[in-house]
Amino acid sequence: MTRHSLEDWCRRMSERMWARQYFITQGCLDRYCLSASATPESKVVLYRAPPGYGKSVQVALAANTRELELENAVYINTRSCPDSCDVNGSLFAALVLYQLEGVESWRTIKSDIDTIGVLRNALCNAKKTIRICLDGVGEAKHTADLIEDLICETPSNVKFFIAPSRVGALARLSMMTGVVTYGADELVFTEEEVCELSGTGGPEASNIIKATGGWPALVRLMCRTLNPNLPAATWPETRSYFRDNLLTALPDSTRTFLCNAAMLEVISAECYGYVYKTEEADREITFLNEHYALLAPTGTSADRMDMHPVLREYLRSLFNTTQRERRSYVLKRVAFWHWRRGEYLHSINAALEASDHRWARVVSDSIILDVALRQGEIEGLRTWFGKVPARTIKKIAALSIGYAWILYFSQQARQAEEILVSSLHPSSRGVGNLDEEGWRELVNAIGKATQDKLLESQVLCQKWIDSFGDRNMVGKGAALTCQAFIASSGRHFEELERLSHRAAVAIQSSNQHYAFIWLKTAEIQGELFKGDIARARSVLLQANKTAEKIQVPKTFLNKMFGTLELQILHEQNHHLVTQESAQASFDFALNYGVTDILWGCTQAYSRFLYHQGFRDRAMALLEQSRLAACERELSRLNILTKVQLAEFTLLNNEELGPPILPDECELTFLPNQNQAIQARMALVNSMYRLRLGKQFGVAEKYAKQALQSASAISDARTRIAAHYCQALAAFALGSSKSAKRMILDANLLSEHLNCHFTRHWIKEALLSLSPLAQDLFNDLPDDSEAKATKDPDVRIEDSSVPPVPGNAHSTITIKQISLLKCVSNGMTNREIAERLLVTEDTVKWHMKKIFSELKVTNRVQAVTEARLRGLL
């Protein structure tokens, strides 16, 4: 190539490449965490990920230089070169030189070797920071060698941003120092980035992430598709993208392999070879990993691969369309392969999808019980059992007992009892072996708890542990978890803690996923009963981390924890709750939740709807829950629903007469459960008297009853509501100062435990019931504790010291914690006294107690120590 033709080629290629760079970067997020500024010390930033993860975008963005006096950039995109053009090392060097210095540097060049040498000298002598941004390079060995040489031989002000042509190209770069590699995990979009990209709020951004897994190409498609509520694999845009941009780039054999592999439960060369009777799987997996990274090792084994769920779903639909006649055969071979390896859950999933129940005739005793009791695949097994003939279930004791377990946890107790009885039939296979380990007795004992017969279940579980616990660790973990849940429901929190430790040991030793979910549910439910929303959220987050670590299947776990997260989020910040997520949690709780789970979800969702103005829907939701209670003979759920309906009716001003509440004689449950219901009933009676505008003494009496019952069982949320009702009654009776203190105490408790909606709910309720409420609330001090810091001594605080969990044995009270918050905001003793409606002497007395408890001598030390203990 002559000098003139070389100059013309470099000019044309550079114009095309920079035009492509400009087009690629339009409307794209400048993601700081992946930018040049995020890793200023790195020599090379390498992007390795499957197609559609934005590698080209990041390289193109890196070419955007903002300070032209200090920076210069080269941008080379091999897609701009004609297919017939072989960009060798000298052409590559000429192109880089042209973009850096124009044609001036070519005057002394006499050969191709000179071009590379001049480029080396230019880069080594450069005063500016130079960014060399390379997209799609690495196939040609001579060019790859030159790039590696330039990286090693140039100074630190020359930086490289590279997206190789294939994932495995330029492999030696990954071993060099100063090289930062961003893979698929780093390139996926976060919720914050989706919010910025689409302009949507948090919940919608979360839905986008869940639907697409954060795959940037799919996120873009979801923001533009007309069908965002459908599964991502079904969008026309997704199907076109996978077909035209992904599959057409693959060789025919690799495309066939990928489509076939999508039908496997777990992708491995061994499984693929067995199912499809071939020995080519190893080669195809290696090729896919080196060129496209469309498969990734699972967390449990490097030999087992997985693919993105949206791509898998698309390929499965493609297989079902093009190879419909082979589908059932392939799935049965998948099921049998896992069966031979003892991986029964995968076997059941494949057989379920193949609509094949015949293998149930040869199922061994332990398999179905393992999948049902230990792994807890309730939803999948419920569907599968529905396709197995009843006579087959009755003939095999393991199937009968497993199916009864499924039915109990699907809130179909009557059918469960019938199936459990059928397992006693003399003709049932495997009865003796199962009875030796007490499986039938265990299912019956825990089944009673799902029917809310908690006392009976408690006795039967203990009897079972005494009889079978030493030789059946799976069953022991389940029985102890059931007892822990009963302790939580019965508000015996010390007993719950003790049983949780015992259950956790049994669960870990037998690797019980289902029991783990229910044990953590019991612990979180206990915090919700206490009203400690902050603690409930902490336990939930920790449970999710543990579940991730021990690889608990996410389907049932996410839905169960979702019902608890709804209650937590509703209390902490009800504005973040959506009707869609709340409805999904309610639907799940209605099918798989015991009384406490279903009621907690129903109460949160119905109050959310009522507060949003959908009062008829809120009432209808309660009626739906009450109907389920009647059908399932869950009397406690029925009574709880009636109390909430009475409260809504009262707030609607529909009835002038007394609220219709259950009789005391109907409360035949555990003692603390009765107290919880009595507290709510007393609260409704108090609110009714307040609405009448008279009988304030009676209203105060009922509020005190509610407060007493709630305090006895540590129910903070009912205590807050009772304080408000008692305060309004006292205010109406002329005790203004006392009323304000009650409201203040309730507010302090609410802030400390994050019971924000409870406080908001009762305040709005009282405002709608009595005109006196407005006078009371208007006369209260400013609700905000945050004021400008005035005390210069308190400003000196070491915020860099990380907080540690609070001392469980601390005697610091909630009021003293509130006082410490005021101190941390620089308020004087007089200001604190005015804020907390106490005297200055009282403030000083509390400060002395705080100093003594925290073992400090001044206010600055007190605030610092309180933060270290996690009290602030």
Side-chain angles (χ1 to χ4, degrees):
M1 191 180 288
T2 65
R3 181 173 295 136
H4 178 75
S5 61
L6 179 62
E7 177 184 344
D8 182 61
W9 182 84
C10 288
R11 177 183 57 78
R12 286 187 292 107
M13 289 301 101
S14 294
E15 288 176 353
R16 291 177 63 176
M17 290 174 183
W18 281 101
R20 182 181 291 273
Q21 186 272 347
Y22 176 79
F23 182 81
I24 287 175
T25 56
Q26 295 307 295
C28 291
L29 288 180
D30 194 351
R31 304 168 71 185
Y32 175 81
C33 61
L34 302 173
S35 69
S37 303
T39 54
E41 74 288 347
S42 59
K43 175 73 173 177
V44 181
V45 177
L46 199 60
Y47 303 97
R48 296 189 187 278
Y53 272 77
K55 306 182 297 296
S56 295
V57 171
Q58 294 308 314
V59 172
L61 286 170
N64 286 336
T65 54
R66 294 175 175 82
E67 301 181 36
L68 298 179
E69 299 82 6
L70 302 176
E71 296 180 312
N72 202 352
V74 172
Y75 178 72
I76 295 178
N77 189 315
T78 58
R79 292 195 64 182
S80 296
C81 300
D83 293 338
S84 60
C85 179
D86 180 19
V87 182
N88 56 30
S90 60
L91 286 177
F92 173 84
L95 191 56
V96 174
L97 272 172
Y98 179 84
Q99 293 192 23
L100 283 176
E101 300 181 357
V103 298
E104 297 299 321
S105 58
W106 296 356
R107 291 179 177 176
T108 59
I109 295 176
K110 296 180 180 180
S111 68
D112 291 349
I113 298 176
D114 284 347
T115 305
I116 295 174
V118 170
L119 173 61
R120 281 195 173 97
N121 291 334
L123 294 177
C124 289
N125 297 324
K127 303 301 181 184
K128 296 181 180 181
T129 295
I130 297 178
R131 300 183 188 177
I132 300 181
C133 306
L134 310 175
D135 188 5
V137 298
E139 289 290 353
K141 185 179 186 305
H142 40 68
T143 305
D145 289 343
L146 175 58
I147 292 171
E148 291 183 12
D149 291 343
L150 293 177
I151 290 171
C152 296
E153 297 169 4
T154 54
S156 60
N157 62 310
V158 180
K159 299 183 181 297
F160 292 78
F161 298 84
I162 306 173
S165 55
R166 56 185 175 85
V167 175
L170 301 175
R172 284 180 294 183
L173 291 186
S174 300
M175 297 183 287
M176 296 180 180
T177 58
V179 177
V180 175
T181 302
Y182 293 121
D185 290 341
E186 291 79 24
L187 288 167
V188 293
F189 279 130
T190 64
E191 286 190 24
E192 293 77 11
E193 289 170 335
V194 170
C195 289
E196 184 180 351
L197 181 69
S198 62
T200 58
E204 187 171 344
S206 177
N207 291 336
I208 292 175
I209 294 294
K210 288 178 182 178
T212 64
W215 189 339
L218 298 185
V219 170
R220 281 283 190 181
L221 293 177
M222 187 169 184
C223 292
R224 297 173 182 176
T225 185
L226 299 177
N227 311 286
N229 295 324
L230 296 177
T234 66
W235 303 334
E237 297 87 350
T238 305
R239 301 178 73 84
S240 297
Y241 174 77
F242 284 152
R243 182 184 65 244
D244 300 335
N245 295 81
L246 206 61
L247 296 186
T248 54
L250 301 176
D252 289 345
S253 62
T254 304
R255 186 163 57 247
T256 300
F257 169 84
L258 198 63
C259 193
N260 289 342
M263 301 303 293
L264 306 180
E265 282 289 303
V266 176
I267 300 169
S268 70
E270 185 182 358
C271 180
Y272 189 95
Y274 173 83
V275 173
Y276 293 103
K277 302 176 182 178
T278 178
E279 297 180 356
E280 301 297 319
D282 268 326
R283 181 180 62 81
E284 293 293 353
I285 289 175
T286 301
F287 178 81
L288 274 168
N289 285 341
E290 289 183 354
H291 285 77
Y292 302 99
L294 292 176
L295 301 177
T298 63
T300 55
S301 172
D303 297 330
R304 295 188 162 203
M305 315 298 289
D306 203 356
M307 70 173 70
H308 194 281
V310 178
L311 177 60
R312 178 191 282 269
E313 193 61 30
Y314 165 75
L315 292 173
R316 283 193 165 209
S317 68
L318 192 62
F319 186 98
N320 293 338
T321 301
T322 58
Q323 304 186 62
R324 184 183 302 275
E325 68 285 351
R326 297 185 64 210
R327 178 178 178 277
S328 181
Y329 169 77
V330 166
L331 288 170
K332 290 173 186 176
R333 286 189 67 82
V334 172
F336 193 72
W337 188 81
H338 285 292
W339 181 274
R340 292 172 60 192
R341 295 172 60 88
E343 297 166 348
Y344 304 120
L345 178 57
H346 290 313
S347 182
I348 286 174
N349 288 338
L352 174 63
E353 191 173 355
S355 300
D356 180 25
H357 63 265
R358 287 174 294 176
W359 65 275
R361 298 177 184 275
V362 295
V363 70
S364 64
D365 293 342
S366 59
I367 293 170
I368 196 68
L369 296 177
D370 177 80
V371 176
L373 275 73
R374 189 177 69 81
Q375 302 189 46
E377 290 296 322
I378 301 299
E379 291 180 282
L381 284 177
R382 181 180 175 183
T383 303
W384 179 80
F385 266 115
K387 299 179 180 181
V388 178
R391 62 181 180 276
T392 301
I393 296 175
K394 292 179 179 179
K395 287 179 180 178
I396 304 172
L399 289 182
S400 300
I401 295 172
Y403 191 31
W405 176 265
I406 302 300
L407 291 171
Y408 272 129
F409 279 95
S410 300
Q411 293 303 305
Q412 300 179 61
R414 290 179 187 171
Q415 297 93 314
E417 289 172 349
E418 293 173 2
I419 292 293
L420 207 56
V421 169
S422 71
S423 69
L424 291 168
H425 197 277
S427 63
S428 291
R429 196 190 76 199
V431 174
N433 295 335
L434 294 171
D435 283 347
E436 287 179 5
E437 295 189 337
W439 287 115
R440 185 186 300 101
E441 292 86 348
L442 177 70
V443 171
N444 179 58
I446 296 177
K448 298 298 182 186
T450 68
Q451 296 174 266
D452 210 36
K453 298 176 180 178
L454 300 184
L455 187 58
E456 185 178 355
S457 177
Q458 166 71 25
V459 172
L460 290 174
C461 283
Q462 188 57 53
K463 182 179 178 181
W464 188 94
I465 292 171
D466 295 338
S467 302
F468 303 99
D470 292 337
R471 59 177 182 269
N472 186 343
M473 191 56 67
V474 172
K476 185 176 181 179
L480 286 169
T481 298
C482 184
Q483 288 187 321
F485 195 92
I486 294 169
S488 174
S489 182
R491 278 75 166 175
H492 295 295
F493 302 119
E494 291 183 1
E495 183 74 0
L496 168 63
E497 185 176 359
R498 183 183 68 82
L499 286 167
S500 292
H501 288 307
R502 290 185 62 198
V505 171
I507 287 170
Q508 291 175 24
S509 65
S510 55
N511 194 24
Q512 288 194 76
H513 297 145
Y514 196 53
F516 169 85
I517 295 171
W518 278 101
L519 181 61
K520 292 304 174 184
T521 297
E523 293 173 2
I524 298 165
Q525 190 74 63
E527 300 301 332
L528 288 171
F529 285 141
K530 288 188 281 188
D532 195 339
I533 307 304
R535 175 66 182 159
R537 182 163 187 80
S538 174
V539 176
L540 176 62
L541 292 174
Q542 187 58 48
N544 272 316
K545 290 180 181 178
T546 305
E548 188 76 27
K549 187 181 299 183
I550 64 178
Q551 298 182 337
V552 176
K554 293 184 177 180
T555 304
F556 192 86
L557 177 135
N558 287 343
K559 291 178 181 179
M560 178 59 78
F561 282 7
T563 65
L564 302 168
E565 189 174 23
L566 168 65
Q567 300 172 59
I568 294 169
L569 190 61
H570 182 246
E571 275 290 349
Q572 283 192 322
N573 191 347
H574 63 276
H575 299 291
L576 298 180
V577 177
T578 65
Q579 288 194 30
E580 293 77 15
S581 63
Q583 183 66 50
S585 292
F586 175 76
D587 290 340
F588 173 80
L590 195 62
N591 287 319
Y592 299 100
V594 296
T595 292
D596 291 308
I597 298 299
L598 178 53
W599 172 242
C601 189
T602 299
Q603 185 182 46
Y605 187 21
S606 63
R607 286 188 169 184
F608 169 78
L609 289 172
Y610 193 96
H611 177 69
Q612 293 288 319
F614 302 104
R615 298 187 174 185
D616 289 343
R617 284 189 61 189
M619 301 284 277
L621 189 79
L622 290 172
E623 290 291 358
Q624 187 178 358
S625 183
R626 191 180 66 82
L627 180 61
C630 293
E631 291 175 346
R632 300 168 189 175
E633 298 179 0
L634 301 175
S635 55
R636 184 161 63 97
L637 177 61
N638 190 16
I639 286 177
L640 288 166
T641 307
K642 285 181 179 179
V643 175
Q644 187 67 71
L645 280 167
E647 183 179 350
F648 281 178
T649 302
L650 185 65
L651 295 178
N652 281 341
N653 291 314
E654 294 177 6
E655 301 284 347
L656 294 178
I660 303 174
L661 294 167
D663 293 329
E664 291 279 345
C665 62
E666 296 181 61
L667 305 185
T668 58
F669 315 113
L670 299 180
N672 287 348
Q673 292 176 340
N674 293 336
Q675 288 228 43
I677 296 171
Q678 287 167 344
R680 297 303 305 177
M681 290 167 59
L683 202 59
V684 173
N685 276 321
S686 179
M687 292 165 68
Y688 169 66
R689 266 66 184 186
L690 291 171
R691 193 190 75 172
L692 290 178
K694 53 186 178 180
Q695 301 182 2
F696 293 116
V698 179
E700 186 177 36
K701 183 192 75 171
Y702 276 121
K704 287 180 179 179
Q705 287 180 7
L707 185 60
Q708 183 178 6
S709 295
S711 298
I713 58 173
S714 302
D715 183 350
R717 286 190 278 183
T718 304
R719 282 173 58 197
I720 291 167
H723 269 304
Y724 264 76
C725 290
Q726 186 183 0
L728 182 54
F731 184 77
L733 293 170
S735 301
S736 176
K737 189 172 183 179
S738 174
K740 293 175 186 177
R741 284 182 178 173
M742 291 176 197
I743 295 291
L744 180 62
D745 287 343
N747 289 347
L748 294 178
L749 184 60
S750 169
E751 290 296 326
H752 181 68
L753 300 177
N754 280 359
C755 298
H756 302 306
F757 186 80
T758 291
R759 173 181 165 188
H760 180 74
W761 172 266
I762 191 62
K763 183 177 179 179
E764 291 297 317
L766 294 181
L767 284 169
S768 70
L769 292 173
S770 173
L772 290 174
Q774 192 67 60
D775 297 332
L776 170 60
F777 299 137
N778 286 343
D779 205 23
L780 287 171
D782 181 15
D783 208 26
S784 173
E785 290 180 342
K787 292 189 176 181
T789 301
K790 299 176 182 178
D791 190 341
D793 292 333
V794 180
R795 291 184 189 144
I796 309 169
E797 54 185 62
D798 184 7
S799 59
S800 65
V801 180
V804 297
N807 185 353
H809 303 290
S810 174
T811 58
I812 297 287
T813 65
I814 292 173
K815 182 166 283 188
Q816 288 167 351
I817 290 174
S818 180
L819 189 147
L820 275 169
K821 289 179 181 178
C822 294
V823 170
S824 71
N825 287 320
M827 296 174 67
T828 65
N829 285 351
R830 176 175 292 182
E831 290 171 330
I832 295 172
E834 291 174 357
R835 170 72 182 85
L836 301 182
L837 298 177
V838 295
T839 66
E840 285 189 60
D841 287 339
T842 302
V843 173
K844 293 176 183 178
W845 182 85
H846 278 300
M847 287 304 301
K848 287 181 181 179
K849 298 288 287 185
I850 290 170
F851 288 173
S852 175
E853 171 63 28
L854 299 180
K855 295 180 174 55
V856 297
T857 58
N858 59 53
R859 292 155 71 96
V860 176
Q861 292 175 356
V863 171
T864 303
E865 183 64 22
R867 285 202 171 100
L868 285 171
R869 296 193 185 193
L871 299 173
L872 294 180

